Amino acid sequence: MGTGLNQGFHLADYTIFVGVLGISLSIGLYHAVTGGRQRTTKEFLMADRRMKTVPVALSILVSFVSGILVLGTPAEMYTHGTQLFMRTVGYCVACVLSGLLFVPLFFYLKVTSSFEYLEQRYDSKVLKLIGTTSMLIGNMFYMGLVIYAPATALEAATGFNVWASVVASGVIATVYTALGGLKAVIWTDVFQAGVMVTGMLVIVIKGVVEVGGLERMWNINKEGGRLIFFNFDPDPTQRLSFWSAVFGGTFSTLSIFGIGQTSVQRFCTLPTLAQAKRAVYLNIPFLIVVNVLSSLVGLVIYAHYADLKCDPLRSKAINNANQLVPFYVIDVLNVPGLPGAFLAVLFSGALSSLSSSLNSAVAVTWQDILRYFFTKTSERNRALINKFLVVFYGLLGISMAFIARLLGGHVLWASLSFAGATMGPTLGIFLLGALVPFANSKGAICGILVSSGFSLWLSIGAFVVRPHRSTLPTSTEGCSSQFNASEFTENFRENLTQFFSGNLSQFGHKQLSLESSTKMNLVDFSGTSDGTASGLGRSAHSSEIHSFLGLTKMYEISFLWYCAIGCLMAMLIGTFVSLITKSEGERKTDPHLLIPVFYHICCCLPKHKREKMLRTKFIRSGLSETSGKEHQSNLDLKADGLPIDIASAKDEDLAEQDSGFKDDKLSTSVESVETTNTINTNF
């Protein structure tokens, strides 16, 4: 193993780590005292809709990339090989589909909360509240998760106190989000994206040099059976395959980049549709870079310990696969500055995800629930209420992390199960509304409730049965000539704590020995960083569950299929129920709330042919040819990157929503309809 275990943190480590936290906080302070000083809800929640493309693209990226991914992806490469890397293909496909289908849909409506679409499309406050409540509960769990997961890994591998980590990251993210609003969150995300990419790049370069070069690293992984990219087995019960990685990755990423509140809120801050699309498309190269780097980190770690024939997992040097990266950095890359840089990477991932979750939760809470009760409140007081909401959710996130600490893996498993169970069904009802003109609220409500229940049951069953427990082989032959795990951990813990001792005392910290830390119910996220529960919280001695009516086989379905199953089930049930409950008196669907699929699919046809197809579609839907022409005109304006005049006669009420968050009304005027149908979103 590495030498110099007693060197501890150097001045360079302290400087880098503290500097990253200080800069993140300073960005929030800067935006609190510049510009409009966050005195309106439009500025605080939507950055006045005047952001730039690249910062928004990077903010969307790091909202998706958290400390869980930084730890979980290398752990997956180490324990199960590179098959999960093929999700990158799914990520790219999802970004393209999001830019083509969902970005124009949400951008035209100028929404603040993505769930506003559900009310406008289905004319149902209940459905909007179901989506909003689901998002807030999942967000609450996720905030605790992104703080707690990196904290436990750091504590067990380096001795960095979990309480200090949780409170520090929670307080810093809450402060700069409350002070600087969405502008501060986006620009801090830009800085933190640079920190994360630079940190992972340094680890990869230094690690490749240590192992003897890129070719040797690659060959060691090939000999160890880690290079698995094209497993074309169609069996859905395979833990990972090419099909589950690509198609499962497409659905799960579409639910984040296409309809996720964090992404929708960000690309709607841009002034033109062309910029909004570019912000999503730019995530294709960004995601490729991040996935390549995080995967290479795992391959470098495997090559190093395979060469030594000493697996730190099997030798009990660490308790969990997610501790591999911090353990490797401290054990091998003990160059002054690198340990501090890694802590900065991990904290940057936690801060970026936490601040994005805070801002998104506040936007949804205000726009979908609270604003109706403060219609006569001044704009400045509305902004102040939103800032208090940030503090409230920040404290809630920190509390969830502490609860997770007390109750162990069960809370974390529950949070990931809930996210995995609702992610697909939520995507399903958005697609149902956008693609099926006759879909109604009854169908959508039945679809999301039944599919969410089924998905949750499936994830619970997978947790109980615990399939796919095997990992790829490793060796411990060389461990006897290496170091003593307890001695290493205690030595580094003592050195690291010297720097933080002043801060740790505030939280009544009591040092945990390696013996006691092994008793903690830690959670293994390897292979499950996209928010599902398969393989989480598994103990070594679980009771065997016998098959009953083939249910056990069903629970073996790969966790990567969960989102796709939930989405398709919601769409099928929603379509069927809508057909049998359809009535003659139902209002016609506004064409602006539908996705013109055939217009995009037939992009190779001449423009006049596509326009004719679009007009025919509207006429058959009971709308006039004029509506089709006007909608086509809007599509052309968007394609050219020109901002649509939302203050025109047709979209006068949308301009009201954009300027002052007034009562939303979406009016649809069509020649074939005798009266104008109005959707009033007031309670």
Side-chain angles (χ1 to χ4, degrees), residues 181-231:
L182 185 58
K183 285 182 183 177
V185 172
I186 290 176
W187 283 109
T188 306
D189 285 347
V190 172
F191 168 69
Q192 290 163 353
V195 171
M196 284 190 282
V197 171
T198 302
M200 287 192 290
L201 185 61
V202 169
I203 292 173
V204 169
I205 293 174
K206 178 63 175 173
V208 168
V209 172
E210 288 285 335
V211 85
L214 189 62
E215 184 177 359
R216 188 164 187 271
M217 181 270 291
W218 192 261
N219 289 334
I220 292 174
N221 278 276
K222 186 176 181 180
E223 292 170 4
R226 260 59 185 177
L227 304 182
I228 310 168
F229 294 103
F230 302 105
N231 174 15

Side-chain angles (χ1 to χ4, degrees), residues 148 152-153 156 319-320 323 405 409 517 520-524 537-538:
Y148 174 74
T152 55
N319 313 314
N320 188 283
Q323 299 164 12
R405 168 72 171 179
S517 67
M520 292 168 53
N521 188 7
L522 296 177
V523 179
D524 185 355
R538 297 172 180 166

Side-chain angles (χ1 to χ4, degrees), residues 16 70 192-207 293 297 325 329 333 337-338 340-346 348:
I16 292 172
V70 172
Q192 290 163 353
V195 171
M196 284 190 282
V197 171
T198 302
M200 287 192 290
L201 185 61
V202 169
I203 292 173
V204 169
I205 293 174
K206 178 63 175 173
L293 287 176
V297 169
V325 183
V329 170
L333 308 182
L338 279 183
F342 174 71
L343 282 181
V345 169
L346 210 53
S348 292

Side-chain angles (χ1 to χ4, degrees), residues 116 367 371-372 375 379 382 653 655-665 681-682:
E116 292 178 77
Q367 190 69 10
R371 70 188 175 104
Y372 301 105
T375 54
E379 192 62 29
R382 289 184 177 191
D653 296 316
E656 269 188 355
Q657 179 197 42
D658 186 36
S659 61
F661 294 93
K662 298 181 180 178
D663 298 340
D664 297 338
K665 291 182 180 178
T681 63
N682 287 322

Side-chain angles (χ1 to χ4, degrees), residues 615-677:
R615 291 196 297 272
T616 302
K617 170 187 171 184
F618 288 131
I619 293 170
R620 287 178 179 174
S621 299
L623 301 175
S624 69
E625 185 173 345
T626 305
S627 295
K629 289 180 178 179
E630 290 170 351
H631 188 52
Q632 173 60 36
S633 175
N634 285 335
L635 287 175
D636 292 339
L637 283 173
K638 293 175 181 179
D640 295 334
L642 299 175
I644 298 172
D645 182 12
I646 62 171
S648 63
K650 281 235 166 257
D651 300 295
E652 194 170 13
D653 296 316
L654 287 177
E656 269 188 355
Q657 179 197 42
D658 186 36
S659 61
F661 294 93
K662 298 181 180 178
D663 298 340
D664 297 338
K665 291 182 180 178
L666 182 64
S667 298
T668 305
S669 300
V670 290
E671 295 175 3
S672 62
V673 181
E674 294 180 0
T675 60
T676 300
N677 295 309

Side-chain angles (χ1 to χ4, degrees), residues 53 107 270 272-279 281 638-642:
T53 305
F107 188 87
L270 294 163
T272 68
L273 179 70
Q275 289 176 287
K277 285 185 173 182
R278 279 197 295 270
Y281 293 149
K638 293 175 181 179
D640 295 334
L642 299 175

